[in-house]
């Protein structure tokens, strides 16, 4: 028998003489293990047929491999510090991997994350090379499914492993819980969940194991709370190429959390749906809660799928979270999963997703007045929602004085009771944003409601009602289909719609209601309502009465298959992309490391919420954008993009059949769909165009776009700018500068004390008369007007406020304190 001290020299001698087999057969198990490690190391450095043959012989033997041996072998093959380069591993895969798997199979524990890396590599090689790799893939799958051995008093190291920050943090924070009875077996089962959806068999086993786990529900809750608060970080659970990976958790802990999410579904606790929803929203958004790249797409899609399985009251609550995901997230995979989950929940309830969402809107303790009062000593805290949907927390003192912030006495004596009120205020503001977006979706979709649902879930709702009562509605009695518009007002017997002419149309039982849209109204009616809302100073939660409309044009009829109405513009890509995401448009990023030189942004328009589940006509728009090479940054991400065609597609679904998307010419698109799609594109152009940048001509090499900048900065008005002009015509007579301001076709002309100015109603850029010299006032001059001016809507991009602020500033030009601006104005006078 050869001693272990001479194994290395004997092995190398055997390699030189070609007698490796005889040498290995003469060793005991320890000697063969040592030889295996030496041969594996040599094969990592250089391919050698003799070494490969010896490794193949050893890989099928029971040699008593330890955990340390297994770790060493796997570490050589996967990770940033691997001993073999990724391209070399592909060539030597069949020689190097089998013995590492044998060691893992025989060891008490093994490095599961690195085994998963090899599994992905085997799958890739199976596709391109040979079915030999499929056997290795299946072998790793069996290894990963291996039942975890019992460890007295501690977790196996692959559960909450140290390949990320999440595992160690949870071990440190919840050591007592993790040491409980049955925890290892339950978490080991959770760690097997490597897919989006759990099977019934998996869920039954999880439920049985959870029932045997000490403090099981509390364990699930704490671990899910941990992932919902886990900062994004670099994980060492690496891919086959050894690149840096960022996320919430590595592969192993991601699988474990996926299992926890599915296990939570069988817990009858009030926290399960909100916590699952919080995980979905956190994992599906980017840093800071933005709608950018996912922190963890696997966790997001799994959490969304779990929400889609909720039933009853939990289902109604799940719909609210799914609605928040759809309103905040921009990842297309997660959005598709959320849409599918919404359909699943609503289908089980026999309602549309919209109906479920409206039934589950929480009131947060507000009464019929939209208020919640709580006595805090001598003060009364008032949490309220005011029209058109603005939440506030105020404090009423003993003398009736109202304070906007908590007085010191309340903060010191009632801090514990104050904290929940502040949390409720934050939640209310988030909910109101969701409700405004949902109402605007219904406006674009043309949804109708029976009077009973309209009153219960909208007008009388403590939260949604504040926004709904600031909108214009139409009612049609059951007897005929004639729609009558009006603003909701309470009557002795219920509700009525007050018309612009002073008449009131009762909302009778059996009637149907919908949101009024200017695309369906005559120009005279639209003008009347705009005048009425201005007189009433009724501010709307979003642009409705003053909404831009985009009817079909002869040019769009002529093109036959697309709209070129907004083609040929140059946009700041980052700003445009953010607006597109906010409005629900998704698509690949422009740039060398994205979609390349062109991309298409797609938005599926909301369909009426009163249609049966799985049925109806679905519409979507496709907006094409191109990379402007001269504006590309060094990292390959576009800085500028150009606009191109807008196309439309329709899909008809019925009796559960989804149908296929088919192209439709603009002339065949419903007026509401066409108008709402083009309104979005106009917004992108109006806000993100370089023509809206007054400093563009000072950018040196980018002066190549001066021709476009001139035409856009001071050219013809778009639909949104024409609405702005009409609104200013109604507002200016009410202001203190009415005698100094006048509207021309494209400009607001303001007479100051030193000279006159023209503010373009599209871009907001300023020209000084008489030489038409441009004047840049800076963004800080556009935040607010010196006097309070009623604005009937909050405009996207805030251009109406910007123009008014500039007008007030320039009307008092002699008093401008900024020396740079003052000197430019006085120059040449």
């Amino acid at each position: 028998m050869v001693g272990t001290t001479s194994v290395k020299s004997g092995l190398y001698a055997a390699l030189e003489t070609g007698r490796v087999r005889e040498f290995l057969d003469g060793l005991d198990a320890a000697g063969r293990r040592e030889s295996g490690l030496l041969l594996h190391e040599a094969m990592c450095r250089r391919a050698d047929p003799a070494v490969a043959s010896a490794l193949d012989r050893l890989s099928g033997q029971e040699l008593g491999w330890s955990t340390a041996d297994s770790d060493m072998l796997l570490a050589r093959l996967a990770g940033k510090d691997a001993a073999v380069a990724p391209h070399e591993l592909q060539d030597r895969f069949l020689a190097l991997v089998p013995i590492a798997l044998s060691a893992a199979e025989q060891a008490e524990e093994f490095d599961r994350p690195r085994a998963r890396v090899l599994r992905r590599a085997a799958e890739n090689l199976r596709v391109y090379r040979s079915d030999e790799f499929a056997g290795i893939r299946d072998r790793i799958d069996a290894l990963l499914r291996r039942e975890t051995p019992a460890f007295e008093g501690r977790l196996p190291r692959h559960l909450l492993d140290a390949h990320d920050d999440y595992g160690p943090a949870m071990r440190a924070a919840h050591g007592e819980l993790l040491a409980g009875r049955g925890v290892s077996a339950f978490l080991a089962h959770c760690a097997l969940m490597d897919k989006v959806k759990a099977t019934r068999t998996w869920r039954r086993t999880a439920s049985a194991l959870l029932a045997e786990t000490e403090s099981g529900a509390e364990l699930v809750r704490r671990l899910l709370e941990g992932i919902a608060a886990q900062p994004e970080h670099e994980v060492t659970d690496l891919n086959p190429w050894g690149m840096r990976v960022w996320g919430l958790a590595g592969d192993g802990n991601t699988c474990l959390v996926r299992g926890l999410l599915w296990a939570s579904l069988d817990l009858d606790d009030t926290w399960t749906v909100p916590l699952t929803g919080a995980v979905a929203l956190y994992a599906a958004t980017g840093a800071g809660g933005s709608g950018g790249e996912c922190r963890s797409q696997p966790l997001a899609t799994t959490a969304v799928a779990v929400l889609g399985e909720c039933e009853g009251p939990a289902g109604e609550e799940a719909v609210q979270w799914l609605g928040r995901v759809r309103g905040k997230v921009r990842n297309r995979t997660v959005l598709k999963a959320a849409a599918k989950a919404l359909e699943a929940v609503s289908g089980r309830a026999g309602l549309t997703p919209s109906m479920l969402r409206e039934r589950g809107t929480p009131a947060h303790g507000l009464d019929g007045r939209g208020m919640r009062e709580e006595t805090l000593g001598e003060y009364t805290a008032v949490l309220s929602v005011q029209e058109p949907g603005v939440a506030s927390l105020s404090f009423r003192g003993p003398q009736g004085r109202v304070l906007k912030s908590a007085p010191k006495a309340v903060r010191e004596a009632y801090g514990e009771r104050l904290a929940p009120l502040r949390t409720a205020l934050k939640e209310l503001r988030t909910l109101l944003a969701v409700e405004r977006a949902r109402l605007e979706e219904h406006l674009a979709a043309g949804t109708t409601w029976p009077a009973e649902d309209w009153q219960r879930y909208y007008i009388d709702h403590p939260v949604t009602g504040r926004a709904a009562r600031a909108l214009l509605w139409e009612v049609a009695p059951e007897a005929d289909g004639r729609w009558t518009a009006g603003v909701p007002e309470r009557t002795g017997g219920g509700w009525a719609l007050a018309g612009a002419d002073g008449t009131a149309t009762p909302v009778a039982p059996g009637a149907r209601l919908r949101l009024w849209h200017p695309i369906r109204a005559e120009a005279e009616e639209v003008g009347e309502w705009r005048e009425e809302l201005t007189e009433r100073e009724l501010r709307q939660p979003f642009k409705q009465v003053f909404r831009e409309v985009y009817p079909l044009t002869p040019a769009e009829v002529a093109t036959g298959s697309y709209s070129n109405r907004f083609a040929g513009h140059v946009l700041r890509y980052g700003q445009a992309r953010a607006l597109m995401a906010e409005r629900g448009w998704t698509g690949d990023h422009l740039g060398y490391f994205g979609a390349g030189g062109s991309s298409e942004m797609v938005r599926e328009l909301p369909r009426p919420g009163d249609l049966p589940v799985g049925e109806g006509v679905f519409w979507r728009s496709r907006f094409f954008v191109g990379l402007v090479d001269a504006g590309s940054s060094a990292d390959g991400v576009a800085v500028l993009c150009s606009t191109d065609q807008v196309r439309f597609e329709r899909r008809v679904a019925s009796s559960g059949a989804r149908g296929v998307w088919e192209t439709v010419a603009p002339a065949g698109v419903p007026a509401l769909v066409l108008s709402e799609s083009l309104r979005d594109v106009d917004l992108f152009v109006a806000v993100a165009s370089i023509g809206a940048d007054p400093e563009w001509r000072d950018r040196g090499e980018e002066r190549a776009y001066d021709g476009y900048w001139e035409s856009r900065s001071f050219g013809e008005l778009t639909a949104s700018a024409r609405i702005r002009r009409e609104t200013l015509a109604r507002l200016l007579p009410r202001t203190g500068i009415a005698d100094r301001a006048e509207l021309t076709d494209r400009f607001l002309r303001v007479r100051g004390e030193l000279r006159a100015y023209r503010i373009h109603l599209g871009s907001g850029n300023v020209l000084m008369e008489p030489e038409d010299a441009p004047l840049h006032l800076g963004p800080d001059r556009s935040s607010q007007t010196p006097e309070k001016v009623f604005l009937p809507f909050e405009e996207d991009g805030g251009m109406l406020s910007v123009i008014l602020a500039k007008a007030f500033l320039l009307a008092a030009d002699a008093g401008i304190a900024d020396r740079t601006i003052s000197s430019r104005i006085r120059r040449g006078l």
Side-chain angles (χ1 to χ4, degrees), residues 489-533:
E489 68 174 18
R490 195 180 297 274
T491 64
W495 285 92
L497 298 185
D501 58 359
T503 61
T505 304
V507 178
R512 297 197 66 80
L513 293 102
R514 69 183 182 188
L515 284 161
W516 179 91
H517 196 294
I519 196 69
R520 294 190 294 260
E522 298 293 334
E524 182 180 357
E525 180 188 358
V526 173
E528 289 176 354
W529 278 115
R530 288 175 180 171
E531 183 65 29
E532 178 70 14
L533 262 65

Short mmCIF file of all heavy atoms in Angstrom, two decimals, residues 489-533:
data_model
loop_
_atom_site.label_atom_id
_atom_site.label_comp_id
_atom_site.label_asym_id
_atom_site.label_seq_id
_atom_site.Cartn_x
_atom_site.Cartn_y
_atom_site.Cartn_z
N GLU A 489 -73.89 65.96 -7.82
CA GLU A 489 -74.31 66.75 -6.66
C GLU A 489 -75.35 65.96 -5.89
O GLU A 489 -76.19 65.27 -6.46
CB GLU A 489 -74.85 68.12 -7.06
CG GLU A 489 -76.14 68.11 -7.81
CD GLU A 489 -76.69 69.52 -8.06
OE1 GLU A 489 -75.91 70.51 -7.97
OE2 GLU A 489 -77.89 69.61 -8.35
N ARG A 490 -75.26 66.06 -4.56
CA ARG A 490 -76.16 65.30 -3.70
C ARG A 490 -77.52 65.97 -3.64
O ARG A 490 -77.62 67.20 -3.53
CB ARG A 490 -75.57 65.18 -2.30
CG ARG A 490 -76.24 64.11 -1.44
CD ARG A 490 -75.60 64.06 -0.05
NE ARG A 490 -74.20 63.68 -0.10
CZ ARG A 490 -73.78 62.42 -0.11
NH1 ARG A 490 -74.65 61.43 -0.10
NH2 ARG A 490 -72.48 62.16 -0.13
N THR A 491 -78.56 65.17 -3.73
CA THR A 491 -79.93 65.67 -3.60
C THR A 491 -80.58 65.00 -2.40
O THR A 491 -79.99 64.11 -1.77
CB THR A 491 -80.74 65.38 -4.87
OG1 THR A 491 -80.85 63.95 -5.03
CG2 THR A 491 -80.06 65.96 -6.10
N GLY A 492 -81.79 65.40 -2.09
CA GLY A 492 -82.47 64.81 -0.93
C GLY A 492 -82.67 63.32 -1.06
O GLY A 492 -82.61 62.58 -0.09
N GLY A 493 -82.87 62.86 -2.29
CA GLY A 493 -83.14 61.45 -2.48
C GLY A 493 -81.99 60.65 -3.03
O GLY A 493 -82.18 59.49 -3.39
N GLY A 494 -80.83 61.26 -3.16
CA GLY A 494 -79.71 60.51 -3.72
C GLY A 494 -78.74 61.42 -4.44
O GLY A 494 -78.28 62.43 -3.88
N TRP A 495 -78.46 61.11 -5.71
CA TRP A 495 -77.51 61.87 -6.49
C TRP A 495 -78.12 62.31 -7.82
O TRP A 495 -79.00 61.65 -8.37
CB TRP A 495 -76.25 61.05 -6.77
CG TRP A 495 -75.36 60.91 -5.58
CD1 TRP A 495 -75.38 59.90 -4.66
CD2 TRP A 495 -74.35 61.82 -5.16
NE1 TRP A 495 -74.44 60.13 -3.69
CE2 TRP A 495 -73.78 61.29 -3.97
CE3 TRP A 495 -73.85 63.02 -5.66
CZ2 TRP A 495 -72.76 61.92 -3.29
CZ3 TRP A 495 -72.82 63.64 -4.99
CH2 TRP A 495 -72.29 63.12 -3.82
N ALA A 496 -77.62 63.43 -8.31
CA ALA A 496 -78.01 63.93 -9.63
C ALA A 496 -76.77 64.49 -10.31
O ALA A 496 -75.75 64.75 -9.67
CB ALA A 496 -79.09 65.00 -9.50
N LEU A 497 -76.85 64.67 -11.62
CA LEU A 497 -75.78 65.30 -12.38
C LEU A 497 -76.23 66.71 -12.77
O LEU A 497 -77.23 66.88 -13.47
CB LEU A 497 -75.45 64.49 -13.64
CG LEU A 497 -74.93 63.06 -13.42
CD1 LEU A 497 -74.52 62.43 -14.75
CD2 LEU A 497 -73.76 63.05 -12.43
N ALA A 498 -75.47 67.70 -12.27
CA ALA A 498 -75.81 69.10 -12.53
C ALA A 498 -75.21 69.53 -13.86
O ALA A 498 -74.00 69.46 -14.06
CB ALA A 498 -75.28 69.98 -11.40
N GLY A 499 -76.08 69.97 -14.79
CA GLY A 499 -75.62 70.38 -16.10
C GLY A 499 -75.07 71.79 -16.11
O GLY A 499 -75.26 72.58 -15.16
N ALA A 500 -74.40 72.14 -17.19
CA ALA A 500 -73.83 73.49 -17.32
C ALA A 500 -74.91 74.55 -17.41
O ALA A 500 -74.67 75.72 -17.10
CB ALA A 500 -72.91 73.55 -18.54
N ASP A 501 -76.11 74.18 -17.81
CA ASP A 501 -77.22 75.13 -17.96
C ASP A 501 -78.04 75.27 -16.69
O ASP A 501 -79.10 75.93 -16.69
CB ASP A 501 -78.11 74.72 -19.12
CG ASP A 501 -78.68 73.30 -18.94
OD1 ASP A 501 -78.35 72.65 -17.91
OD2 ASP A 501 -79.42 72.84 -19.82
N GLY A 502 -77.62 74.63 -15.59
CA GLY A 502 -78.33 74.74 -14.33
C GLY A 502 -79.34 73.65 -14.08
O GLY A 502 -79.92 73.57 -12.99
N THR A 503 -79.59 72.78 -15.07
CA THR A 503 -80.53 71.68 -14.87
C THR A 503 -79.86 70.55 -14.12
O THR A 503 -78.63 70.47 -14.05
CB THR A 503 -81.06 71.17 -16.21
OG1 THR A 503 -79.96 70.67 -16.98
CG2 THR A 503 -81.75 72.29 -16.98
N ALA A 504 -80.66 69.65 -13.57
CA ALA A 504 -80.13 68.49 -12.84
C ALA A 504 -80.83 67.24 -13.33
O ALA A 504 -82.06 67.19 -13.40
CB ALA A 504 -80.32 68.66 -11.34
N THR A 505 -80.06 66.22 -13.66
CA THR A 505 -80.60 64.94 -14.12
C THR A 505 -80.42 63.92 -13.01
O THR A 505 -79.28 63.58 -12.65
CB THR A 505 -79.87 64.45 -15.38
OG1 THR A 505 -79.95 65.45 -16.39
CG2 THR A 505 -80.47 63.16 -15.89
N PRO A 506 -81.53 63.43 -12.42
CA PRO A 506 -81.41 62.46 -11.32
C PRO A 506 -80.73 61.17 -11.80
O PRO A 506 -80.92 60.74 -12.94
CB PRO A 506 -82.85 62.20 -10.90
CG PRO A 506 -83.63 63.34 -11.46
CD PRO A 506 -82.93 63.76 -12.72
N VAL A 507 -79.96 60.59 -10.92
CA VAL A 507 -79.37 59.27 -11.19
C VAL A 507 -80.33 58.25 -10.60
O VAL A 507 -80.29 57.96 -9.40
CB VAL A 507 -77.97 59.15 -10.58
CG1 VAL A 507 -77.41 57.75 -10.84
CG2 VAL A 507 -77.04 60.21 -11.17
N ALA A 508 -81.19 57.71 -11.44
CA ALA A 508 -82.24 56.82 -10.98
C ALA A 508 -81.74 55.38 -10.94
O ALA A 508 -80.81 55.02 -11.66
CB ALA A 508 -83.45 56.93 -11.91
N PRO A 509 -82.35 54.54 -10.10
CA PRO A 509 -82.00 53.11 -10.10
C PRO A 509 -82.18 52.53 -11.51
O PRO A 509 -83.15 52.86 -12.21
CB PRO A 509 -82.99 52.51 -9.10
CG PRO A 509 -83.38 53.65 -8.22
CD PRO A 509 -83.37 54.87 -9.09
N GLY A 510 -81.26 51.71 -11.91
CA GLY A 510 -81.35 51.10 -13.23
C GLY A 510 -80.62 51.87 -14.31
O GLY A 510 -80.42 51.36 -15.41
N ALA A 511 -80.21 53.11 -14.01
CA ALA A 511 -79.49 53.91 -15.00
C ALA A 511 -78.04 53.42 -15.10
O ALA A 511 -77.55 52.71 -14.23
CB ALA A 511 -79.52 55.38 -14.60
N ARG A 512 -77.39 53.83 -16.18
CA ARG A 512 -75.98 53.51 -16.35
C ARG A 512 -75.19 54.81 -16.44
O ARG A 512 -75.70 55.83 -16.94
CB ARG A 512 -75.74 52.65 -17.59
CG ARG A 512 -76.42 51.29 -17.49
CD ARG A 512 -75.84 50.32 -18.50
NE ARG A 512 -74.45 49.98 -18.23
CZ ARG A 512 -74.05 49.10 -17.32
NH1 ARG A 512 -74.94 48.47 -16.56
NH2 ARG A 512 -72.77 48.84 -17.16
N LEU A 513 -73.93 54.77 -15.97
CA LEU A 513 -73.10 55.97 -15.97
C LEU A 513 -71.73 55.67 -16.57
O LEU A 513 -71.26 54.53 -16.56
CB LEU A 513 -72.93 56.52 -14.54
CG LEU A 513 -74.21 57.06 -13.93
CD1 LEU A 513 -74.77 56.05 -12.94
CD2 LEU A 513 -73.98 58.41 -13.27
N ARG A 514 -71.10 56.73 -17.09
CA ARG A 514 -69.74 56.64 -17.61
C ARG A 514 -69.10 58.01 -17.48
O ARG A 514 -69.80 59.03 -17.32
CB ARG A 514 -69.74 56.19 -19.07
CG ARG A 514 -70.30 57.22 -20.05
CD ARG A 514 -70.32 56.69 -21.46
NE ARG A 514 -70.82 57.71 -22.39
CZ ARG A 514 -71.11 57.50 -23.68
NH1 ARG A 514 -70.94 56.28 -24.19
NH2 ARG A 514 -71.55 58.48 -24.44
N LEU A 515 -67.78 58.04 -17.55
CA LEU A 515 -67.06 59.30 -17.51
C LEU A 515 -67.17 60.01 -18.86
O LEU A 515 -67.02 59.39 -19.92
CB LEU A 515 -65.58 59.06 -17.17
CG LEU A 515 -65.30 58.74 -15.70
CD1 LEU A 515 -63.94 58.06 -15.55
CD2 LEU A 515 -65.36 60.00 -14.86
N TRP A 516 -67.45 61.30 -18.80
CA TRP A 516 -67.56 62.12 -20.01
C TRP A 516 -66.18 62.28 -20.65
O TRP A 516 -65.17 62.46 -19.96
CB TRP A 516 -68.12 63.48 -19.62
CG TRP A 516 -68.28 64.47 -20.74
CD1 TRP A 516 -69.38 64.67 -21.51
CD2 TRP A 516 -67.32 65.45 -21.16
NE1 TRP A 516 -69.17 65.69 -22.40
CE2 TRP A 516 -67.91 66.19 -22.21
CE3 TRP A 516 -66.02 65.77 -20.76
CZ2 TRP A 516 -67.24 67.23 -22.85
CZ3 TRP A 516 -65.34 66.79 -21.40
CH2 TRP A 516 -65.96 67.51 -22.44
N HIS A 517 -66.13 62.19 -21.98
CA HIS A 517 -64.88 62.37 -22.72
C HIS A 517 -65.13 63.36 -23.86
O HIS A 517 -66.12 63.22 -24.59
CB HIS A 517 -64.38 61.04 -23.29
CG HIS A 517 -62.94 61.07 -23.72
ND1 HIS A 517 -62.49 61.84 -24.78
CD2 HIS A 517 -61.84 60.44 -23.21
CE1 HIS A 517 -61.18 61.67 -24.92
NE2 HIS A 517 -60.76 60.84 -23.98
N PRO A 518 -64.25 64.35 -24.05
CA PRO A 518 -64.49 65.36 -25.08
C PRO A 518 -64.50 64.81 -26.50
O PRO A 518 -65.04 65.47 -27.40
CB PRO A 518 -63.34 66.36 -24.88
CG PRO A 518 -62.30 65.62 -24.11
CD PRO A 518 -63.04 64.65 -23.27
N ILE A 519 -63.93 63.61 -26.73
CA ILE A 519 -63.94 63.06 -28.09
C ILE A 519 -65.35 62.71 -28.53
O ILE A 519 -65.64 62.65 -29.74
CB ILE A 519 -63.02 61.81 -28.16
CG1 ILE A 519 -62.69 61.45 -29.62
CG2 ILE A 519 -63.65 60.63 -27.46
CD1 ILE A 519 -61.80 62.44 -30.31
N ARG A 520 -66.28 62.50 -27.55
CA ARG A 520 -67.66 62.15 -27.89
C ARG A 520 -68.58 63.36 -27.91
O ARG A 520 -69.77 63.22 -28.18
CB ARG A 520 -68.19 61.13 -26.88
CG ARG A 520 -67.50 59.78 -26.90
CD ARG A 520 -68.26 58.78 -26.05
NE ARG A 520 -68.24 59.14 -24.64
CZ ARG A 520 -67.43 58.59 -23.74
NH1 ARG A 520 -66.58 57.64 -24.11
NH2 ARG A 520 -67.47 58.97 -22.48
N ALA A 521 -68.05 64.55 -27.60
CA ALA A 521 -68.89 65.75 -27.47
C ALA A 521 -68.68 66.71 -28.64
O ALA A 521 -67.62 66.72 -29.27
CB ALA A 521 -68.59 66.44 -26.15
N GLU A 522 -69.68 67.55 -28.88
CA GLU A 522 -69.55 68.61 -29.87
C GLU A 522 -68.70 69.74 -29.29
O GLU A 522 -68.61 69.91 -28.07
CB GLU A 522 -70.93 69.15 -30.25
CG GLU A 522 -71.86 68.11 -30.89
CD GLU A 522 -71.36 67.67 -32.25
OE1 GLU A 522 -70.63 68.46 -32.90
OE2 GLU A 522 -71.67 66.54 -32.66
N ALA A 523 -68.11 70.52 -30.20
CA ALA A 523 -67.22 71.61 -29.77
C ALA A 523 -67.94 72.59 -28.85
O ALA A 523 -67.34 73.09 -27.88
CB ALA A 523 -66.65 72.32 -30.98
N GLU A 524 -69.19 72.88 -29.13
CA GLU A 524 -69.95 73.84 -28.31
C GLU A 524 -70.12 73.32 -26.88
O GLU A 524 -69.94 74.07 -25.91
CB GLU A 524 -71.32 74.09 -28.94
CG GLU A 524 -72.15 75.12 -28.18
CD GLU A 524 -73.51 75.36 -28.83
OE1 GLU A 524 -73.78 74.77 -29.90
OE2 GLU A 524 -74.29 76.14 -28.26
N GLU A 525 -70.41 72.02 -26.74
CA GLU A 525 -70.58 71.44 -25.40
C GLU A 525 -69.26 71.46 -24.64
O GLU A 525 -69.22 71.77 -23.45
CB GLU A 525 -71.10 70.01 -25.50
CG GLU A 525 -71.30 69.35 -24.13
CD GLU A 525 -71.63 67.87 -24.23
OE1 GLU A 525 -71.75 67.35 -25.35
OE2 GLU A 525 -71.76 67.24 -23.16
N VAL A 526 -68.17 71.14 -25.33
CA VAL A 526 -66.86 71.15 -24.69
C VAL A 526 -66.53 72.53 -24.16
O VAL A 526 -66.09 72.72 -23.02
CB VAL A 526 -65.77 70.68 -25.68
CG1 VAL A 526 -64.38 70.85 -25.05
CG2 VAL A 526 -65.99 69.23 -26.08
N GLY A 527 -66.79 73.57 -24.99
CA GLY A 527 -66.52 74.94 -24.57
C GLY A 527 -67.36 75.34 -23.37
O GLY A 527 -66.87 76.02 -22.46
N GLU A 528 -68.61 74.93 -23.34
CA GLU A 528 -69.48 75.25 -22.21
C GLU A 528 -68.95 74.65 -20.92
O GLU A 528 -68.96 75.32 -19.87
CB GLU A 528 -70.90 74.74 -22.50
CG GLU A 528 -71.65 75.52 -23.58
CD GLU A 528 -73.00 74.91 -23.88
OE1 GLU A 528 -73.29 73.82 -23.33
OE2 GLU A 528 -73.76 75.50 -24.67
N TRP A 529 -68.52 73.40 -20.99
CA TRP A 529 -68.05 72.76 -19.76
C TRP A 529 -66.72 73.34 -19.30
O TRP A 529 -66.48 73.45 -18.10
CB TRP A 529 -67.92 71.25 -19.96
CG TRP A 529 -69.24 70.55 -19.77
CD1 TRP A 529 -69.95 69.88 -20.70
CD2 TRP A 529 -70.01 70.51 -18.57
NE1 TRP A 529 -71.12 69.40 -20.17
CE2 TRP A 529 -71.18 69.78 -18.85
CE3 TRP A 529 -69.84 71.01 -17.29
CZ2 TRP A 529 -72.16 69.54 -17.88
CZ3 TRP A 529 -70.81 70.78 -16.33
CH2 TRP A 529 -71.96 70.05 -16.63
N ARG A 530 -65.89 73.75 -20.22
CA ARG A 530 -64.63 74.37 -19.81
C ARG A 530 -64.89 75.72 -19.13
O ARG A 530 -64.24 76.06 -18.15
CB ARG A 530 -63.72 74.53 -21.03
CG ARG A 530 -63.16 73.20 -21.50
CD ARG A 530 -62.35 73.30 -22.78
NE ARG A 530 -61.85 71.98 -23.16
CZ ARG A 530 -61.25 71.69 -24.30
NH1 ARG A 530 -61.06 72.65 -25.21
NH2 ARG A 530 -60.82 70.47 -24.56
N GLU A 531 -65.85 76.43 -19.65
CA GLU A 531 -66.21 77.71 -19.02
C GLU A 531 -66.83 77.47 -17.65
O GLU A 531 -66.54 78.18 -16.68
CB GLU A 531 -67.18 78.47 -19.92
CG GLU A 531 -67.58 79.85 -19.41
CD GLU A 531 -66.40 80.82 -19.37
OE1 GLU A 531 -65.46 80.66 -20.20
OE2 GLU A 531 -66.40 81.70 -18.50
N GLU A 532 -67.67 76.45 -17.56
CA GLU A 532 -68.36 76.15 -16.30
C GLU A 532 -67.36 75.76 -15.20
O GLU A 532 -67.44 76.25 -14.07
CB GLU A 532 -69.36 75.01 -16.52
CG GLU A 532 -70.12 74.57 -15.27
CD GLU A 532 -71.12 75.60 -14.77
OE1 GLU A 532 -71.42 76.55 -15.53
OE2 GLU A 532 -71.60 75.46 -13.63
N LEU A 533 -66.41 74.89 -15.51
CA LEU A 533 -65.44 74.47 -14.50
C LEU A 533 -64.52 75.60 -14.10
O LEU A 533 -64.12 75.70 -12.92
CB LEU A 533 -64.60 73.29 -15.03
CG LEU A 533 -65.10 71.90 -14.57
CD1 LEU A 533 -66.47 71.62 -15.12
CD2 LEU A 533 -64.12 70.82 -14.99
#
